[in-house]
Amino acid sequence: MPEEGLLYQFKRFVVGKPIPSHLAHHERLSRVTGLAVLSSDPLSSVAYATEEILRVLVLVGAGALGLAAPIAFVIASILAIVVFSYRQTLHAYPSGGGAYIVARENLGELPALVAAASLLIDYILTVAVSIAAGVAAITSAFPAWHVNRIEMTLGFVVLLMLGNLRGIRESGQIFSVPTYFFIVCTLALIAMGIGRVLTGTVQPLPPVDPVPSSGEPLTLFLLLTAFSNGCTAMTGVEAVSNGVPAFKPPESKNAAATMLTMAVLAITMFLGITLLSQVYQILPSERETVVSQLARAVFGGRGIAYYAVQAATMLILVLAANTAYADFPRLTSILARDRFVPRQFMNQGDRLAFSNGIVGLSVFAGILLIIFGGDTHALIPLYMIGVFVSFTLSQAGMVVHWRKEGGPGWRTSAAVNGVGALVTGIVLVVVAMTKAHEGAWIIMLLIPLNVLLFNVTRRHYDAVAAQLSMRGWSAQRRRKNTVLVPISGVIRPVAEALEYAKTLSDDVRAVYVAIDPAATEQLRGMWERYENAVPLVLLGSPYRSLMEPLLEYIEQIAKDRPEDYVTIVLPEFVPARWWHHLFHNQRALLIKGALLFKPNTVVTSVPFHLR
């Protein structure tokens, strides 16, 4: 799952500034709590990585499932390379080294925006994939709930959205429980499975609704497709590099130790699940996950141990989804600060949460879950493009970083990151080639489209800033202010509006649009008796339009006096009850909207409150 941190207090690690004192209410993380909080992303990926490999190989036939083990070993080797490469970033960026930050400082604006676009898309997919996989764990344990898969996924999205809008915070003590529960349950499953292998008590499960074999030939393309599917096990490994400031001193050293522990656990669990799946002859199913089948086979049915594994899997996946609710809003707030997305994403609610980002993330993830039916396997092809784009850009940026920094051993450090960039770049090409026809082309299109939108937004804000700047400005003396008061009759709100208008200018005019001749004559008579010394301007309206004659009159005044102000004073009465608005027209609102974009035109309201 994508990067840019986890804890709310990580505002410092992306921006590179100290945490405000009123936000720094969490203790710094030890290696134990750091592993639990920051490793939920990569550890949760092992819940579905093996299954994604098997779902491709089974198309050839059951005999091809034996290739899952060598594919898993290749992926584990690449994961080790990536982790070793990312450990370099921990020391180079002790304030947090997200892909956007590293790319911006070392590669330039365009690569940084590509990284940001990739991350934003992957945060959305993190929520969708993790929740879909978590629901799959539930429906595997309770098959009757499978028909409600979409409703359950949307329910989790709403629950996470409301919780984050209310300002829930990730505590190391609280969020350690699901992570360590998952680690213990998964390692116990692997240990028990190995024990049964050593004692010769392995009992393969009969297949339940297995994915059918289509008899496809075993080709290099199919093997690469299985490999790219399994690379989901690598998602989220960069989370620790983002969270360096949250660790206890020495921060970089503790973060590096945590990342190494995370890698060892992830590789152990991934390889363990893959190898045992082959031993127990697990076939991927449409209605039950591979982990669920393996737990049933190892523990001998649906007992307490089985349900513990399923509960742990569901909890770790939901926790992994929740990390995106800290990451997506924070990254959008940084982009908003840099004027690449609308500034509304910088707004914080009363719980100090970036509410607009949280809502936007939930809406996009919900749409994805509906479109893809809450199916993890349908979402996976979309998922890895952005992950490996950010991996590659981050590591390439580190190569440039070491070249600029120089110093003893910089060539070795640059070589390590160069290998990481090369490996992840190759994986990116493989994933793009094998997944394009499965829907990854959408992500390949969305990333440059997002970059284009970032640049359009930036140009807009730059143009606005240039126009709002005081540079070159000098006061222009306005010769006159013509004040117009649109009236509908001789009534008290009109009288009060006219009295206010007289304080603004000596040139005040009451304007009436004459539609009904009889009503116009009646108004003329009442106006003469009123004796307020304000001239009455009658505007003809042959087509019985109220707005058009008024707007044409205002336009004519503005044309005759282009350097002057035209002020429109609107008499408005305010009903005593909100529902009384239903009984009255909103003509004043229409006039405001029509005049909003006219230069040198000021619109003001004089309210008259009804009892």
Side-chain angles (χ1 to χ4, degrees):
M1 291 99 191
E3 48 183 287
E4 303 303 331
L6 215 173
L7 295 175
Y8 181 72
Q9 70 180 44
F10 288 2
K11 173 168 278 220
R12 173 182 122 180
F13 78 73
V14 183
V15 181
K17 296 180 180 179
I19 307 171
S21 59
H22 68 286
L23 300 181
H25 56 278
H26 291 289
E27 293 184 1
R28 293 218 171 193
L29 299 178
S30 65
R31 296 181 185 180
V32 174
T33 53
L35 174 67
V37 174
L38 296 175
S39 298
S40 60
D41 279 1
L43 296 181
S44 68
S45 302
V46 306
Y48 48 81
T50 298
E51 181 164 358
E52 295 305 318
I53 298 174
L54 297 179
R55 287 180 70 90
V56 176
L57 295 177
V58 78
L59 298 177
V60 178
L65 297 179
L67 296 171
I71 291 174
F73 277 107
V74 172
I75 293 172
S77 301
I78 295 175
L79 174 56
I81 293 173
V82 171
V83 168
F84 189 63
S85 180
Y86 258 97
R87 281 164 58 89
Q88 301 277 98
T89 309
L90 303 180
H91 300 284
Y93 285 87
S95 60
Y100 174 67
I101 300 296
V102 174
R104 187 183 63 186
E105 292 186 3
N106 299 291
L107 301 179
E109 183 177 283
L110 181 59
L113 293 181
V114 172
S118 304
L119 288 170
L120 291 181
I121 292 171
D122 275 321
Y123 290 143
I124 298 169
L125 285 165
T126 293
V127 176
V129 171
S130 297
I131 288 180
V135 168
I138 298 174
T139 57
S140 296
F142 304 98
W145 294 1
H146 191 271
V147 294
N148 304 114
R149 185 169 58 182
I150 296 178
E151 292 82 355
M152 293 173 67
T153 57
L154 294 178
F156 274 115
V157 170
V158 172
L159 184 65
L160 289 174
M161 180 185 72
L162 294 178
N164 282 276
L165 287 175
R166 291 295 300 165
I168 63 172
R169 296 291 174 257
E170 288 144 336
S171 164
Q173 289 73 25
I174 296 175
F175 282 83
S176 294
V177 176
T179 305
Y180 281 110
F181 184 37
F182 176 74
I183 293 172
V184 170
C185 288
T186 304
L187 293 180
L189 171 65
I190 294 171
M192 180 67 74
I194 294 174
R196 290 191 179 277
V197 172
L198 295 177
T199 57
T201 57
V202 173
Q203 294 291 333
L205 284 178
V208 179
D209 191 20
V211 175
S213 173
S214 59
E216 292 190 16
L218 184 60
T219 62
L220 176 62
F221 184 81
L222 187 137
L223 288 175
L224 290 176
T225 302
F227 165 77
S228 63
N229 273 19
C231 285
T232 54
M234 299 171 59
T235 57
V237 299
E238 73 290 326
V240 177
S241 71
N242 296 323
V244 178
F247 284 90
K248 292 180 178 179
E251 292 89 345
S252 296
K253 183 178 179 180
N254 286 328
T258 299
M259 177 171 279
L260 181 60
T261 305
M262 175 268 293
V264 171
L265 285 171
I267 290 173
T268 301
M269 292 190 290
F270 174 52
L271 292 178
I273 291 173
T274 304
L275 294 174
L276 286 176
S277 296
Q278 290 188 244
V279 173
Y280 282 86
Q281 300 175 22
I282 302 296
L283 294 176
S285 169
E286 296 290 356
R287 300 178 67 86
E288 186 176 5
T289 65
V290 165
V291 171
S292 173
Q293 294 183 65
L294 183 60
R296 281 202 298 120
V298 170
F299 295 123
R302 296 178 183 269
I304 295 177
Y306 166 80
Y307 285 110
V309 170
Q310 293 305 102
T313 303
M314 183 273 292
L315 288 173
I316 192 72
L317 286 165
V318 172
L319 175 58
N322 191 59
T323 62
Y325 278 91
D327 303 338
F328 182 94
R330 183 174 295 108
L331 179 57
T332 54
S333 72
I334 295 170
L335 290 170
R337 181 199 65 190
D338 294 341
R339 296 184 292 184
F340 288 115
V341 299
R343 289 181 176 172
Q344 291 88 329
F345 286 102
M346 285 195 297
N347 297 340
Q348 289 180 296
D350 57 350
R351 300 302 180 103
L352 298 178
F354 296 106
S355 305
N356 292 329
I358 291 171
V359 173
L361 174 62
S362 302
V363 169
F364 289 131
I367 291 173
L368 276 178
L369 288 167
I370 293 173
I371 291 175
F372 290 92
D375 186 358
T376 310
H377 316 299
L379 289 163
I380 287 295
L382 308 180
Y383 189 27
M384 289 170 291
I385 294 290
V387 172
F388 283 97
V389 167
S390 62
F391 277 176
T392 305
L393 288 174
S394 176
Q395 295 310 295
M398 287 303 301
V399 174
V400 177
H401 169 81
W402 294 122
R403 290 189 62 184
K404 291 192 300 184
E405 288 289 315
W410 75 267
R411 287 184 174 85
T412 303
S413 299
V416 170
N417 286 121
V419 171
L422 178 63
V423 170
T424 55
I426 292 173
V427 175
L428 173 62
V429 173
V430 172
V431 171
M433 290 173 55
T434 57
K435 294 301 177 184
H437 68 286
E438 297 182 28
W441 64 269
I442 300 174
I443 307 303
M444 299 179 199
L445 179 64
L446 284 177
I447 290 175
L449 182 60
N450 273 356
V451 172
L452 176 63
L453 292 176
F454 292 158
N455 283 307
V456 168
T457 305
R458 177 61 182 266
R459 285 196 295 269
H460 167 75
Y461 281 126
D462 287 347
V464 170
Q467 294 180 61
L468 296 180
S469 171
M470 293 294 292
R471 184 179 300 172
W473 181 86
S474 60
Q476 298 179 5
R477 181 177 179 82
R478 301 289 179 176
R479 296 191 299 271
K480 193 173 183 182
N481 181 18
T482 302
V483 181
L484 308 180
V485 183
I487 67 173
S488 59
V490 182
I491 54 178
R492 184 173 295 181
V494 169
E496 294 195 3
L498 289 170
E499 291 302 312
Y500 172 75
K502 292 176 183 178
T503 66
L504 302 178
S505 172
D506 294 332
D507 187 359
V508 179
R509 311 173 192 179
V511 181
Y512 179 77
V513 179
I515 296 177
D516 184 351
T520 302
E521 285 302 318
Q522 183 180 9
L523 175 77
R524 195 196 300 271
M526 295 179 66
W527 191 261
E528 292 175 354
R529 293 193 297 273
Y530 175 39
E531 296 181 350
N532 68 338
V534 174
L536 175 64
V537 178
L538 298 176
L539 303 177
S541 180
Y543 300 104
R544 304 183 62 81
S545 169
L546 290 173
M547 292 290 295
E548 187 173 347
L550 176 62
L551 296 177
E552 288 179 352
Y553 184 65
I554 296 172
E555 189 69 33
Q556 185 60 46
I557 294 176
K559 184 178 179 180
D560 294 340
R561 300 172 177 175
E563 301 300 323
D564 294 352
Y565 285 118
V566 178
T567 300
I568 316 301
V569 176
L570 299 174
E572 285 191 82
F573 59 85
V574 182
R577 300 287 184 270
W578 66 266
W579 51 271
H580 289 176
H581 286 281
L582 300 174
F583 302 122
H584 305 283
N585 61 51
Q586 303 297 322
R587 192 168 298 154
L589 185 61
L590 295 176
I591 294 174
K592 293 176 186 177
L595 298 176
L596 182 62
F597 300 103
K598 288 188 176 294
N600 299 337
T601 302
V602 182
V603 181
T604 186
S605 297
V606 178
F608 183 84
H609 295 271
L610 299 176
R611 293 188 296 272

